[in-house]
Amino acid sequence: MTAVQDAPTQEIGRDRRRKEDQRLITGRTRWTDNITLPGMLHLAMVRSPFAHARIVSIDTEAAKAATNVVTVVTGADVADEQGALPNAWPITADQVAPSHPPIAVDRVAFAGEIVAVVVARSAADARDAAELVDVEYDELPAVLDLKSAADDETLAHPDLGTNKSAYWVFDSGEAGTGGNADKAIEQARADGIVIEREYRQQRLIPAFMEPRSVVVDPTGEQITMWSATQIPHVLRFLLAAVLGIPESKLRVVAPDVGGGFGGKLQTTPEEFIAMVLARRLGKPVKYTETRSESLVSAHHGRDQWQKLTLSAEKDGTVTALKVELLADMGAYLSLLGGGIPILGAFMYNAIYKFPAYHFACQTVLTNKTWTDAYRGAGRPEATFAIERIMDELAAELGVDPLEVREKNWIRHEEFPFTTVAGLEYDSGNYEAATERAKEMFGYDELRAEQRRRRESGDPVQLGIGISTFTEMCGWAPSKLVGQLSYGAGGWDHATVRMTGTGKVEVLTGVSPHGQGHETAFSQIVADRLGVPFDDVEVLHGDTQVSARGYDTYGSRSLVVGGEAVVRAADKVVEKAKPIAAHLLEASPDDLEFSGGRFTVRGTDQGIGIAELATAVFAAHNLPAGVEATLDSDATFDPDALSFPHGTHLCAMEVDTETGSLTMRKYVCCDDIGNIINPLIVAGQVHGGLVQGIAQALWEEAVYDESGTLVSGSFVDYLLPTAADTISFEIDHTTSPSTTNTLGTKGVGEAGTIASTPAVVNAIVDAVRHLGVNDIQMPCTPERVWKAIRSGGKGGATEGAAMPHFDPSEPGSDSTEGARE
Amino acid sequence: MTRITMTVDGAQVSDDVEPRMLLVQYLREKLGKTGTVIGCDTSNCGACTVHLDGRSVKSCNVLAVQADGAEVTTIEGLATDGQLHPVQEAFRECHGLQCGFCTPGMIMQSIDLLNENPHPTEEEIRLGLEGNLCRCTGYHNIVKAVQYAAREGASS
Amino acid sequence: MIPARFDYVAPATVEEALAALAEHGDDAKLIAGGQSLLPVLRMRLNAPEMVVDLGRIESLRGVSDDGDAILVGAMTTHAEVGVDPLVAEHAALVAKAITHLADAQVRHRGTFGGALAHADPAGDLGAPVLALGGEFLVAGPGGTRTVAADDFFVDYFTTAVGEDEILTGVRLPKHTGWGAHYEKFVRIAHQWPIVAVAAAVRLDGDTIAEARVGLTNMGSTPLRARAVEEALAGQPATEDAVRRAAELAVEGTNPPSDLNGDADYRRHLAKVLTRRAVLTAAGV
């Protein structure tokens, strides 16, 4: 028995440097595209250049005859075995959904859809042969504009008879969670204030840095798929369910994955095709997309029109909110499909005490790339709209936008608070976060500078933008998501294993792609088991290693997966206790566990958990009837969602001569409950902020009139660089969550959800005195300039790209968008 | 096929390659230097950045045959005798990476930047990294990492 | 991401390169730094059968004094030109533009001649070289000819260099002591300019004695804003005078409309940026 040691320092709350980094900074990473297997064949996709067309014929002869080509496959060739891609969230019972074959069989419904697949000995050979596949199309009218799609003038899928997929409604009067919104609005028209606005959520592209890649090895008894995915467990389940392969024969591995942001929360045509062809050919196959393919064919996000009606009393007390959404699904219903806008349904009321609320969403099919989750998924849209219209209410009242928020938000003593949307917010303190943010920002000084610039007619005006956001995350509980017709559960799973040498292996069902689970979960387990941080290894992303889980999205990893880890670790301690008592020749009731040691109360007798693990491994001396393992599992399904919140303040300078925008300052104070690793949290906040800021300022997926994605490369889909962004000031207030023992709330999406309205509010605030009350996103200099000149929103984005890479003339190939 | 010879991460290598093979493909596919990655097809993202004769280049934008006779350093050639390069160390210290996909290119460009300008301002760092895209970090901690490396004398 | 197959030669002299062009005709494509060509090849927007690499021709590299001009070899990289003392002294406008050109990695590989011969109207070198009245040295089967800047840019991605010719260098007339500025307008740092203005100014006391102004991305080629230049000559270097002259920047332009702005907006930008570029060049 070893002597008592000092208990290790508490790990939770420490800014531990990440375990993941050593391999990532030295190039020892295993990306899917790095995997090479003996006899591996390569796939190249032939994709439709047309948004909507009938496939008349596909001539594959020349491609098949090319050197090193193994085969060329069309949709017709595999029609009976390729299955259809799943939509796992039918939001209404009568939802209209087109069938979605991985390889189009007789018709394509968006530009970029796969029509044939070349299999060859090298990627270069496959690409060369893909050029030889001759597809004859009969072009059909394409429906591209969301609003006209909803009018059913042209059909994205003629066989369905309509573009309208589902109409989903929440009404607080009907649900019994509040009053009748229409009545309240009617009342306000008579004696209060009614604000009506329409906002555009432009189409975005997740644009993770690692292009998607998939490798399938059909040799051996189990088929292994490596994929750059966020959801290996969900993927295995759906491959099995759709293709009829027993799950026991399928292993899915997400090795190192280079970002996702919702963009890899998908089961893709490419994954299904790789699986089908590997099984057909009996050889490993690989497919890695190019960036251009990724931008056109990986799912997009947002793309909504949002119509809001807000009513208030004359003093600014809100009385009702009505939201009418049109949401573009693109050509097919993706994995989560129509569910994404519904995720926003519960968030438009945000932190405010609306007595009445009505939400209605019409999902619509068009001939564009299908849409699905993008960081925040539904909540950024909701937060943008409510935070924008609260500013409009403040402008109408002629008061500071913070004042109107404070008047209407839930006060800290009112938690837990059941909202008009029927959710119970467990904890929060909007006053505290706002106070801290104002202090960091120098709110009053900046308001004074704004006044000075206005008065002097400075060509560079200053605006201050506010976003007092909340969101719902930690996607679970199973019961709740089931009520929403979500086709899966929300629990997650962990295993904690004690190895023979006394080290700890943690298996988690959540699947990271940059978040730092290995580090954060090690910290949790180190504290729970009292073992050194470095003695904990976190294993993930392989269905054969961590068999159960629902993966990583919706800011759920820590609040659901992390809590499962806590519970599994606690079970290890429980299992260890009788064994420790036996070895210490004491009664279990006299044992205490602390700092990694069981000690006999009132003595210096004790045994460390690592030592105990070795003893259990040897199993020479165990109590009767006790199994020779400490390994433990836990499945955790929380009772509620998690509700982080925060106050974000942004100062923007607007060059009124050119419309050019400069971010001057951005501060935020977020309440995300208890923090496991402040370094990782800061990284999540920074990155989230820039993605939200990028929606406000730069990013937009633009289609031309023929349905070609004009912003189809990084030349035209504008991701910000280091030179376009600034350093942020961030801080936290802490109201621990009551839904998990760690007291944590999700943080992965908070920055993105909060920042977009803060930026746009700042821009509008800078030029409101010039007659502007909205500028459509992305707020390009041109739009800002036009808005200042005309008092309008700045107009739509023209469908043309810069022709830089074109060797001959603008208007061909990549620049097809220039065509009228 | 064209015969090329070059020094990669200190080792002499020679292969017959198709002229169309890009340097990044040569590194990854022929040499197994998969630490260098491909993030786009328009040379915007910078994930494939390596040093060619001591200066940063995007290895997707160089033909392998153009690098014949050159000296190439990749992310895999930075650490010596198990000792991280100070810029690698700085990225870890400052949490300058999340998913890590842009990181090899970001580190290679940061080293080039510091070689040119050992004590850059924040603005110079930001401009110096304009050819490298990151989707995770919001650049905040990448800038911090370069500042940290500069303080630690990474360029010496 | 994988270019179509091509053959490759890397001649050591201009003569050998010309011979390769003569042999392969329009099946051949010259590669200099490759920073614009390789993306085109990767995306298979072009598929030459033969690529002739100028990268091994040592005589095409470097900057030298050439009397009343400096001579920039076509294969000198942007990075080299950007820090060259002769360029800084006699053609500061070019050095200023280069600091804004693409990104560091591209500047390390991309070449002066390659970028000019690519003739992207949104390229950052055309306007300053045009403004300074550069003379383009073009080698062909019959020897070397000189093309004036005004005659070099013909149309989108089209120059006066024939299919059997090679741009070997550019003479930049010395503008020693001139103030210079390149005002570039972008939404994102790594973008090509939406509009940019290159301005060089020779001051005589507080008066603008001479001015040279070039416009980027305001038409199918880089453009010289002669009306602005003429209006500036002899004017005081004041905000008002420059503003009036800058209003003429749109004369003879035909800017594109695209994702980043329509033609009207670009015309407006051209005026504002011209004013700013000239004032900065004049040190006001």
Side-chain angles (χ1 to χ4, degrees):
Chain A
M1 309 289 150
T2 53
V4 178
Q5 299 165 338
D6 289 339
T9 330
Q10 165 138 335
E11 284 291 341
I12 289 179
R14 275 186 77 179
D15 56 351
R16 272 282 185 189
R17 295 337 185 236
R18 295 199 320 169
K19 291 186 164 181
E20 292 85 344
D21 291 356
Q22 180 68 26
R23 67 179 188 275
L24 296 168
I25 57 181
T26 54
R28 281 196 298 107
T29 324
R30 180 174 294 174
W31 311 110
T32 301
D33 188 49
N34 293 357
I35 294 167
T36 302
L37 299 170
M40 190 171 80
L41 302 172
H42 298 260
L43 311 185
M45 305 301 171
V46 179
R47 295 178 186 272
S48 168
F50 298 110
H52 196 191
R54 199 168 306 287
I55 300 167
V56 177
S57 64
I58 303 180
D59 183 351
T60 60
E61 286 314 307
K64 277 180 175 156
T67 307
N68 290 330
V69 169
V70 174
T71 188
V72 181
V73 174
T74 66
D77 295 335
V78 290
D80 296 334
E81 59 185 293
Q82 67 173 343
L85 292 162
N87 165 243
W89 198 346
I91 55 171
T92 61
D94 59 353
Q95 172 179 279
V96 172
S99 173
H100 190 181
I103 309 177
V105 177
D106 51 13
R107 189 172 56 89
V108 291
F110 72 99
E113 190 165 359
I114 297 165
V115 295
V117 183
V118 177
V119 188
R121 289 181 53 215
S122 76
D125 289 323
R127 181 39 50 204
D128 289 347
E131 311 260 300
L132 303 175
V133 175
D134 189 12
V135 188
E136 192 189 332
Y137 296 95
D138 179 12
E139 217 180 332
L140 299 168
V143 53
L144 301 165
D145 178 71
L146 173 53
K147 283 186 179 175
S148 42
D151 294 338
D152 279 343
E153 285 162 9
T154 309
L155 295 179
H157 298 274
D159 51 317
L160 298 180
T162 179
N163 296 321
K164 297 205 241 333
S165 176
Y167 188 68
W168 192 97
V169 178
F170 175 88
D171 185 276
S172 65
E174 285 171 20
T177 54
N180 181 304
D182 280 329
K183 242 185 229 166
I185 291 165
E186 203 178 313
Q187 178 73 28
R189 284 193 203 281
D191 61 8
I193 299 167
V194 177
I195 313 260
E196 291 174 284
R197 290 288 186 275
E198 187 174 37
Y199 295 123
R200 173 76 172 132
Q201 289 286 330
Q202 79 269 37
R203 181 175 273 251
L204 299 177
I205 307 181
F208 34 76
M209 287 313 298
E210 179 207 17
R212 298 171 309 164
S213 179
V214 57
V215 173
V216 179
D217 184 358
T219 62
E221 190 55 36
Q222 269 75 30
I223 304 172
T224 303
M225 171 182 283
W226 290 266
S227 183
T229 181
Q230 291 175 230
I231 51 164
H233 297 90
V234 174
L235 177 56
R236 182 174 81 140
F237 170 79
L238 288 171
L239 283 168
V242 171
L243 297 177
I245 307 169
E247 277 160 289
S248 56
K249 300 283 188 196
L250 277 178
R251 175 186 184 190
V252 176
V253 185
D256 284 314
V257 176
F261 317 109
K264 289 173 181 168
L265 165 47
Q266 194 57 266
T267 50
T268 70
E270 292 84 354
E271 287 164 340
F272 275 74
I273 290 166
M275 177 59 71
V276 166
L277 293 182
R279 291 177 81 202
R280 226 187 210 216
L281 299 167
K283 287 286 180 192
V285 301
K286 181 199 274 190
Y287 169 74
T288 301
E289 67 186 1
T290 65
R291 177 58 60 182
S292 301
E293 285 180 295
S294 187
L295 291 172
V296 79
S297 66
H299 74 244
H300 295 176
R302 315 278 195 263
D303 205 343
Q304 299 176 3
W305 280 103
Q306 309 169 286
K307 211 169 142 191
L308 274 79
T309 310
L310 178 147
S311 64
E313 292 172 15
K314 283 215 165 93
D315 70 351
T317 305
V318 296
T319 56
L321 182 66
K322 186 173 177 178
V323 178
E324 294 156 279
L325 285 192
L326 271 185
D328 193 336
M329 300 290 98
Y332 297 102
L333 294 183
S334 57
L335 184 60
L336 303 185
I340 298 302
I342 305 311
L343 284 171
F346 306 94
M347 280 291 117
Y348 278 86
N349 52 299
I351 65 171
Y352 309 112
K353 292 181 283 187
F354 283 97
Y357 175 52
H358 179 87
F359 172 95
C361 175
Q362 176 69 60
T363 60
V364 179
L365 295 158
T366 60
N367 293 117
K368 291 181 287 187
T369 302
W370 31 320
T371 60
D372 202 319
Y374 171 53
R375 203 169 190 172
R379 292 102 75 207
E381 296 93 315
T383 303
F384 177 85
I386 184 66
E387 289 303 294
R388 283 286 298 110
I389 205 165
M390 288 305 278
D391 260 33
E392 297 305 302
L393 176 60
E396 178 73 24
L397 293 164
V399 301
D400 189 287
L402 273 176
E403 193 180 316
V404 78
R405 285 172 169 80
E406 193 170 354
K407 188 179 204 59
N408 288 292
W409 70 37
I410 303 158
R411 294 191 311 276
H412 70 275
E413 68 271 16
E414 292 175 303
F415 287 92
F417 184 91
T418 302
T419 74
V420 73
L423 295 179
E424 187 185 278
Y425 294 177
D426 60 335
S427 69
N429 188 332
Y430 309 139
E431 299 95 318
T434 302
E435 203 44 50
R436 178 72 189 117
K438 277 179 74 175
E439 183 190 328
M440 291 156 67
F441 192 62
Y443 189 83
D444 298 335
E445 293 84 350
L446 283 165
R447 280 281 180 219
E449 180 183 337
Q450 177 182 41
R451 260 193 311 277
R452 284 197 302 278
R453 289 190 189 228
R454 276 195 190 177
E455 282 160 10
S456 69
D458 193 325
V460 178
Q461 289 290 313
L462 180 68
I464 293 169
I466 295 155
S467 171
T468 47
F469 87 104
T470 189
E471 66 127 336
M472 54 175 224
C473 64
W475 188 239
S478 301
K479 197 171 156 190
L480 172 77
V481 304
Q483 285 164 1
L484 293 171
S485 313
Y486 184 71
W491 51 262
D492 224 290
H493 188 81
T495 303
V496 174
R497 290 184 195 149
M498 297 300 302
T499 69
T501 58
K503 309 290 188 201
V504 186
E505 284 180 338
V506 179
L507 281 52
T508 173
V510 290
S511 188
H513 33 282
Q515 293 88 346
H517 291 31
E518 293 166 32
T519 305
F521 287 7
S522 292
Q523 289 178 265
I524 292 169
V525 171
D527 273 3
R528 221 71 196 183
L529 296 181
V531 297
F533 172 76
D534 289 328
D535 282 357
V536 185
E537 186 80 27
V538 178
L539 306 173
H540 54 74
D542 181 340
T543 61
Q544 212 164 71
V545 174
S546 64
R548 284 167 54 74
Y550 271 121
D551 306 315
T552 288
Y553 53 88
S555 303
R556 67 189 303 278
S557 285
L558 180 59
V559 295
V560 187
E563 183 65 19
V565 168
V566 167
R567 293 179 181 217
D570 289 354
K571 285 186 186 174
V572 168
V573 176
E574 271 171 50
K575 282 176 90 168
K577 196 169 190 179
I579 304 171
H582 175 75
L583 293 177
L584 292 167
E585 296 175 347
S587 158
D589 295 341
D590 292 335
L591 290 194
E592 292 183 327
F593 183 72
S594 148
R597 287 180 63 76
F598 287 97
T599 50
V600 183
R601 221 171 270 123
T603 74
D604 60 355
Q605 290 285 298
I607 184 168
I609 188 105
E611 207 178 334
L612 205 59
T614 305
V616 172
F617 181 63
H620 295 164
N621 182 16
L622 298 182
V626 168
E627 64 174 354
T629 180
L630 297 178
D631 299 358
S632 300
D633 289 279
T635 298
F636 176 65
D637 201 341
D639 294 328
L641 289 152
S642 158
F643 301 98
H645 72 82
T647 296
H648 289 228
L649 298 172
C650 172
M652 294 290 295
E653 290 180 354
V654 179
D655 177 347
T656 57
E657 259 193 313
T658 62
S660 175
L661 302 169
T662 307
M663 188 172 288
R664 164 92 165 267
K665 193 170 196 179
Y666 195 105
V667 311
C668 61
C669 181
D670 290 330
D671 187 335
I672 56 161
N674 292 331
I675 290 173
I676 305 299
N677 183 324
L679 203 64
I680 290 177
V681 161
Q684 288 294 318
V685 173
H686 297 147
L689 290 179
V690 167
Q691 284 190 348
I693 292 166
Q695 172 171 15
L697 298 180
W698 299 301
E699 294 180 28
E700 184 176 18
V702 180
Y703 285 83
D704 68 8
E705 287 162 14
S706 65
T708 301
L709 178 67
V710 175
S711 43
S713 81
F714 279 163
V715 173
D716 296 297
Y717 191 81
L718 298 184
L719 299 186
T721 73
D724 304 298
T725 49
I726 64 170
S727 291
F728 305 105
E729 292 171 49
I730 70 170
D731 200 357
H732 300 278
T733 48
T734 304
S735 313
S737 169
T738 59
T739 64
N740 60 81
T741 59
L742 293 167
T744 59
K745 305 175 185 178
V747 69
E749 296 158 292
T752 304
I753 292 167
S755 62
T756 311
V759 175
V760 178
N761 278 340
I763 297 165
V764 173
D765 185 55
V767 295
R768 193 182 285 279
H769 65 295
L770 303 174
V772 178
N773 71 12
D774 192 25
I775 295 171
Q776 192 174 307
M777 295 189 291
C779 301
T780 63
E782 182 188 31
R783 281 199 176 121
V784 173
W785 178 72
K786 286 187 171 170
I788 293 168
R789 293 218 313 174
S790 68
K793 289 187 182 191
T797 306
E798 283 205 36
M802 282 182 159
H804 306 292
F805 287 141
D806 197 294
S808 50
E809 54 177 338
S812 63
D813 294 310
S814 72
T815 58
E816 230 159 11
R819 199 171 61 205
E820 288 304 317
Chain B
M1 290 284 183
T2 303
R3 187 78 183 167
I4 58 170
T5 301
M6 62 183 93
T7 306
V8 179
D9 294 335
Q12 185 89 359
V13 295
S14 189
D15 281 287
D16 289 323
V17 299
E18 281 192 310
R20 66 165 161 173
M21 178 172 260
L22 305 169
L23 178 58
V24 69
Q25 288 159 345
Y26 178 66
L27 294 171
R28 289 178 56 81
E29 293 165 21
K30 288 273 187 183
L31 303 182
K33 296 265 179 192
T34 50
T36 302
V37 296
I38 301 169
C40 76
D41 44 14
T42 46
S43 69
N44 287 83
C45 83
C48 64
T49 300
V50 301
H51 292 180
L52 182 66
D53 289 331
R55 296 312 304 268
S56 61
V57 300
K58 294 179 174 178
S59 62
C60 74
N61 231 12
V62 179
L63 296 170
V65 289
Q66 289 180 295
D68 184 23
E71 189 168 331
V72 176
T73 306
T74 77
I75 189 73
E76 297 179 50
L78 291 180
T80 46
D81 304 329
Q83 196 72 19
L84 291 178
H85 186 282
V87 175
Q88 289 174 310
E89 190 58 57
F91 270 68
R92 175 162 69 183
E93 177 61 26
C94 300
H95 188 31
L97 63 149
Q98 290 177 31
C99 84
F101 195 79
C102 76
T103 308
M106 204 59 90
I107 288 177
M108 297 311 288
Q109 180 53 27
S110 297
I111 293 172
D112 186 88
L113 187 163
L114 289 170
N115 284 343
E116 280 292 284
N117 181 359
H119 302 288
T121 63
E122 175 172 343
E123 195 191 351
E124 286 167 342
I125 293 168
R126 288 183 174 278
L127 280 171
L129 297 177
E130 69 183 329
N132 292 72
L133 296 174
C134 168
R135 193 64 160 161
C136 293
T137 64
Y139 303 104
H140 183 110
N141 283 343
I142 290 175
V143 173
K144 292 271 178 293
V146 178
Q147 288 172 327
Y148 179 92
R151 278 199 305 277
E152 300 289 308
S155 62
S156 57
Chain C
M1 192 58 205
I2 304 164
R5 276 200 185 83
F6 53 76
D7 290 325
Y8 172 85
V9 287
T13 65
V14 173
E15 291 67 32
E16 285 172 33
L18 287 169
L21 285 184
E23 185 186 340
H24 297 280
D26 57 9
D27 293 335
K29 185 83 191 161
L30 292 174
I31 188 168
Q35 300 304 285
S36 295
L37 179 64
L38 284 172
V40 169
L41 298 188
R42 280 201 302 272
M43 292 197 284
R44 301 199 177 202
L45 300 173
N46 195 344
E49 286 175 20
M50 166 61 77
V51 169
V52 180
D53 185 358
L54 303 178
R56 310 275 165 188
I57 306 176
E58 284 305 317
S59 64
L60 297 182
R61 286 179 191 278
V63 180
S64 55
D65 196 311
D66 195 25
D68 59 350
I70 58 171
L71 176 59
V72 182
M75 290 299 292
T76 317
T77 66
H78 303 306
E80 290 162 352
V81 175
V83 298
D84 189 274
L86 285 172
V87 174
E89 187 180 356
H90 304 296
L93 183 57
V94 167
K96 300 244 173 178
I98 281 175
T99 63
H100 294 275
L101 189 153
D103 54 51
Q105 294 99 312
V106 169
R107 291 194 292 270
H108 291 150
R109 268 312 276 177
T111 64
F112 197 73
L116 288 166
H118 183 58
D120 184 336
D124 285 304
L125 285 183
V129 170
L130 190 60
L132 296 183
E135 296 163 1
F136 293 77
L137 308 182
V138 179
T144 295
R145 64 191 178 106
T146 300
V147 179
D150 289 339
D151 303 325
F152 184 77
F153 298 104
V154 175
D155 202 344
Y156 289 105
F157 305 101
T158 308
T159 69
V161 180
E163 275 179 3
D164 55 352
E165 294 182 313
I166 297 170
L167 174 66
T168 59
V170 181
R171 288 183 84 247
L172 297 172
K174 286 181 181 172
H175 285 70
T176 319
W178 287 52
H181 186 70
Y182 189 67
E183 184 78 20
K184 178 167 172 172
F185 194 86
V186 288
R187 288 174 58 202
I188 292 275
H190 64 82
Q191 262 189 309
W192 275 269
I194 297 168
V195 176
V197 177
V201 171
R202 185 169 67 80
L203 287 176
D204 183 0
D206 293 332
T207 303
I208 296 173
E210 287 180 89
R212 300 282 180 269
V213 179
L215 307 176
T216 305
N217 211 15
M218 286 296 291
S220 60
T221 66
L223 297 173
R224 179 110 173 238
R226 288 192 191 276
V228 177
E229 294 177 2
E230 284 161 20
L232 284 170
Q235 292 293 312
T238 61
E239 171 109 25
D240 275 354
V242 174
R243 180 187 296 272
R244 277 194 302 277
E247 290 296 310
L248 305 172
V250 294
E251 271 192 19
T253 62
N254 183 23
S257 290
D258 60 34
L259 293 179
N260 296 296
D262 64 16
D264 274 351
Y265 178 60
R266 280 192 162 87
R267 283 189 201 99
H268 168 73
L269 282 180
K271 294 184 213 171
V272 175
L273 302 181
T274 296
R275 185 185 82 230
R276 292 179 181 179
V278 171
L279 286 170
T280 308
V284 177

